[in-house]
Amino acid sequence: MKRIVRLALAAVIASTWAFAASDKNDTPPVEISKDVQVQQARDEVAKIQKELSKASSVWIKSYNSYMAYQEARKNLRQIKWRIEELQNRRQTVERKLEIEALQAKEKILTDQVELLKAQGTSPFVSLLKPDEAGEQPTITNPFEIVTGLSYIKRLNSQYKDYLLREEELQELIALLERQVGLYKDLMRLDPKGDYEVELEATMLQVEKFKLALETLVSTAEVYEKRIESTEAKINEEIKEQISKLLNIVMIVVVLFLVSFLVKRILKRYIVDNERLYMANKILTFVNVTLVVLILMFSYIDNVGYLATVLGFASAGLAIAMRDWFMSLLGWLVIVVGGAIHVGDRIRVVKDGVEYVGDVLDVSLQRITIMEDVTLTTVEVNRRAGRIVFIPNNYIFTTLISNYSHGSLKTVWDGIDIVITFDSNHKKAAHIVKEITRKYSKGYTDITRKQINKLRDRYSLKNSNVEPRIFTLTAPYGIRISGWYLTNAYATLTLRSTITADVIDAFNAEPDITIAYPTQTFYTGPIPPKAPMPENGA
């Protein structure tokens, strides 16, 4: 449209310049007859009308719709008046047919009026009103900065489109004013010609367009001021959010630096790796919690309202996610109470299933252990090396044994060997005691020191750490039960060594026989029992 209008204006300016140049020429002007001038003016008017008809200007379309609405209303009033006039006369066949035809036209025109009703009061209502950019965003967090910048960009783009409408309207007015001038020239050159209707229609169109241009210019000024005010407000909010974000980043960086320095200090002064691991984990949890709280209080306007909502929501979540919350509570109990640490060897029994392994990690939801080769795996599970995940809530409902709690790294283990009733049980008990004392002496000394450290935390009644030997009866013999202290992480190895030595020692004694389920039948008199040595040798 702009290109077509500019071409028409260029043609008009070129023709004006040609007439002016001819006046300034030294050669005498060539006289042009009125008929030629009339024809030239008609050609130029036709050219302008052709250009306007080809143009796709929204202003022309809107004005044409307005004129169509006015014409439809005028015709509708005439038809209604004609129908009323015919109905008041004596009815004939011809008049009835005319009334029916007019009523059909009335219906069509009524539909057209309803369709064009939006253009009734003013032809340019929608064009003079700036496009809505939507609700102005309020920048309350960094993520909305992009929204604010997009809103400003959209406002500026709509304002540019509004100014383009103004330029387009000015070009149309200039073109139509040129057409008015040509019609006036035609009326002067050709008084007999019928140009009054076209002149009045064009002048009316120019008047409507000029009124629209005045409204558009004043609206554009107000629109520009509103955009400037909105842009200034959004930019101020963006600056505020950027400043707040930088402050939060600085606080978070300081927190992480402090956490890093504290971890370095703890690493220097805490020798126990297990305690160092747990301390680092607690420090990380506290650090992350502080960051979350800072972000929450920085970007949530109504914290009290949030607390109320979370209070009601947590009640429902506590029921729906009971195990999840109990695991969190269990983690807190484990961390604060210190019942289980990373590296401890624990035993868990749940629904008849038994696991023994070393703790690899204690997270918010679970304890992770690695199953080792122990007596449990040998006699019960028959497999080991599995990674087992134990929910933290088991600490409230399930038996969990810790083989290496606190400073204790040893446990009591024992072997049972049954000898026949006629064996020298005192000698057998002495042999078992000497062997267990031999292999457990180092663990006994370690345990004695560890127990002395635990006396400050626990009330220890029995602090005897020497091997213990018990002589008991069994269904098919005498059971010698020997108990000794051993490494909590290698009980099976020491048990195997002690058992092998005890069996070898019993087999070397003629008066000691290892028993197993047997029956003795005497075909003659029962021989008397040999007297037992008093010293048990």
Side-chain angles (χ1 to χ4, degrees):
M1 170 61 195
K2 290 186 199 175
R3 182 172 173 273
I4 294 171
V5 172
R6 289 194 179 107
L7 289 174
L9 286 173
V12 172
I13 293 170
S15 62
T16 306
W17 179 81
F19 283 117
S22 64
D23 292 338
K24 295 181 181 180
N25 197 349
D26 294 336
T27 59
V30 179
E31 295 184 2
I32 301 175
S33 63
K34 288 186 177 180
D35 294 337
V36 175
Q37 292 180 7
V38 170
Q39 187 61 39
Q40 288 179 349
R42 287 176 178 175
D43 293 341
E44 192 170 348
V45 169
K47 185 177 181 181
I48 292 174
Q49 290 179 344
K50 184 177 180 181
E51 297 296 343
L52 291 175
S53 63
K54 288 182 179 179
S56 58
S57 172
V58 291
W59 297 101
I60 296 295
K61 292 181 178 178
S62 182
Y63 183 77
N64 291 337
S65 298
Y66 169 74
M67 295 305 296
Y69 173 77
Q70 298 296 334
E71 185 67 22
R73 286 187 62 188
K74 179 181 177 182
N75 294 335
L76 183 59
R77 285 195 300 267
Q78 292 177 354
I79 289 176
K80 287 183 177 179
W81 178 80
R82 179 59 179 167
I83 291 174
E84 185 178 354
E85 182 184 6
L86 292 175
Q87 287 177 346
N88 292 332
R89 294 183 181 181
R90 188 172 60 86
Q91 298 296 314
T92 61
V93 176
E94 291 79 3
R95 288 175 180 170
K96 288 182 179 181
L97 293 174
E98 185 179 358
I99 289 173
E100 292 177 358
L102 291 174
Q103 287 176 343
K105 289 183 180 180
E106 180 186 13
K107 185 177 183 306
I108 295 172
L109 289 173
T110 301
D111 294 339
Q112 290 180 359
V113 169
E114 289 295 328
L115 185 63
L116 300 171
K117 191 175 183 179
Q119 303 291 340
T121 56
S122 176
F124 310 118
V125 175
S126 59
L127 296 177
L128 294 175
K129 183 179 180 182
D131 295 333
E132 293 293 335
E135 185 178 356
Q136 179 180 336
T138 302
I139 313 301
T140 57
N141 59 70
F143 297 104
E144 293 179 349
I145 291 178
V146 177
T147 304
L149 295 175
S150 300
Y151 186 79
I152 293 175
K153 184 178 180 181
R154 186 161 63 250
L155 283 177
N156 291 327
S157 177
Q158 291 177 352
Y159 181 66
K160 289 180 181 179
D161 292 340
Y162 199 71
L163 293 181
L164 289 176
R165 295 183 200 173
E166 180 181 345
E167 293 178 5
E168 183 180 352
L169 184 57
Q170 289 175 347
E171 292 174 356
L172 281 175
I173 291 174
L175 195 60
L176 290 171
E177 285 180 341
R178 175 58 184 164
Q179 187 175 350
V180 169
L182 291 172
Y183 276 130
K184 289 181 178 179
D185 291 341
L186 286 173
M187 290 179 65
R188 178 176 54 82
L189 295 172
D190 186 14
K192 296 180 181 180
D194 188 10
Y195 302 108
E196 294 182 0
V197 177
E198 289 83 354
L199 177 60
E200 291 179 359
T202 307
M203 290 180 66
L204 177 62
Q205 191 172 5
V206 171
E207 182 182 356
K208 292 289 185 181
F209 281 165
K210 283 185 176 181
L211 290 174
L213 180 60
E214 292 177 1
T215 305
L216 191 142
V217 170
S218 60
T219 305
E221 294 177 356
V222 176
Y223 191 34
E224 183 181 10
K225 292 179 180 178
R226 192 184 76 178
I227 290 176
E228 291 176 355
S229 174
T230 302
E231 187 173 352
K233 182 179 179 181
I234 292 177
N235 287 332
E236 185 65 26
E237 291 178 351
I238 290 175
K239 289 180 182 178
E240 182 181 349
Q241 290 303 318
I242 292 175
S243 176
K244 182 187 290 187
L245 180 62
L246 291 176
N247 292 333
I248 292 174
V249 170
M250 290 178 61
I251 294 173
V252 171
V253 170
V254 170
L255 284 176
F256 278 104
L257 286 176
V258 171
S259 175
F260 175 76
L261 292 176
V262 172
K263 287 181 180 179
R264 293 296 298 269
I265 295 172
L266 291 176
K267 186 177 181 181
R268 179 176 296 180
Y269 290 100
I270 297 179
V271 181
D272 192 350
N273 291 331
E274 298 172 6
R275 292 185 177 180
L276 179 62
Y277 173 84
M278 187 58 64
N280 288 336
K281 198 152 191 177
I282 294 173
L283 194 60
T284 302
F285 175 77
V286 172
N287 203 19
V288 172
T289 303
L290 289 175
V291 172
V292 171
L293 290 176
I294 290 171
L295 293 175
M296 183 182 296
F297 283 94
S298 298
Y299 291 109
I300 295 178
D301 296 331
N302 193 342
V303 180
Y305 174 75
L306 176 66
T308 303
V309 173
L310 291 179
F312 285 107
S314 60
L317 290 175
I319 298 174
M321 304 178 68
R322 176 179 176 274
D323 292 339
W324 191 82
F325 282 105
M326 290 298 291
S327 292
L328 288 179
L329 183 59
W331 175 82
L332 187 63
V333 170
I334 292 171
V335 171
V336 175
I340 298 173
H341 298 87
V342 173
D344 287 353
R345 170 156 293 190
I346 64 173
R347 172 176 173 267
V348 182
V349 180
K350 179 68 174 178
D351 297 332
V353 181
E354 185 176 347
Y355 298 100
V356 177
D358 301 330
V359 178
L360 301 179
D361 182 47
V362 180
S363 63
L364 292 174
Q365 289 295 312
R366 64 183 67 87
I367 303 170
T368 305
I369 68 171
M370 183 174 183
E371 195 177 21
D372 197 5
V373 178
T374 61
L375 186 63
T376 301
T377 57
V378 170
E379 295 184 352
V380 180
N381 296 333
R382 296 304 302 170
R383 57 178 51 85
R386 296 174 292 184
I387 303 297
V388 182
F389 302 99
I390 303 167
N392 291 338
N393 59 6
Y394 277 24
I395 198 170
F396 302 113
T397 59
T398 305
L399 176 62
I400 299 179
S401 304
N402 192 338
Y403 291 135
S404 54
H405 176 63
S407 59
L408 285 177
K409 303 300 177 185
T410 57
V411 293
W412 285 95
D413 193 21
I415 62 170
D416 290 338
I417 296 181
V418 180
I419 60 177
T420 59
F421 286 108
D422 56 357
S423 297
N424 190 342
H425 63 85
K426 292 184 178 180
K427 182 190 288 188
H430 179 74
I431 292 172
V432 172
K433 186 174 184 178
E434 291 299 323
I435 293 175
T436 54
R437 180 180 294 169
K438 171 186 173 182
Y439 285 102
S440 66
K441 186 177 186 307
Y443 302 116
T444 300
D445 297 337
I446 293 173
T447 305
R448 187 177 289 109
K449 296 178 182 178
Q450 293 172 345
I451 287 177
N452 290 330
K453 293 180 181 180
L454 288 177
R455 289 184 184 279
D456 296 335
R457 297 174 56 187
Y458 303 103
S459 177
L460 300 175
K461 299 296 184 182
N462 187 2
S463 59
N464 182 20
V465 294
E466 295 297 329
R468 303 173 188 178
I469 309 301
F470 303 99
T471 303
L472 307 170
T473 59
Y476 51 90
I478 300 173
R479 183 175 67 180
I480 306 299
S481 180
W483 291 83
Y484 53 90
L485 287 166
T486 181
N487 185 356
Y489 299 92
T491 56
L492 195 60
T493 302
L494 189 57
R495 173 186 281 232
S496 175
T497 302
I498 292 176
T499 301
D501 281 12
V502 169
I503 292 174
D504 291 340
F506 281 4
N507 289 333
E509 299 294 333
D511 56 349
I512 299 177
T513 303
I514 297 175
Y516 48 87
T518 58
Q519 289 182 340
T520 303
F521 295 95
Y522 294 95
T523 58
I526 299 175
K529 294 182 179 180
M532 297 291 294
E534 294 183 359
N535 56 1

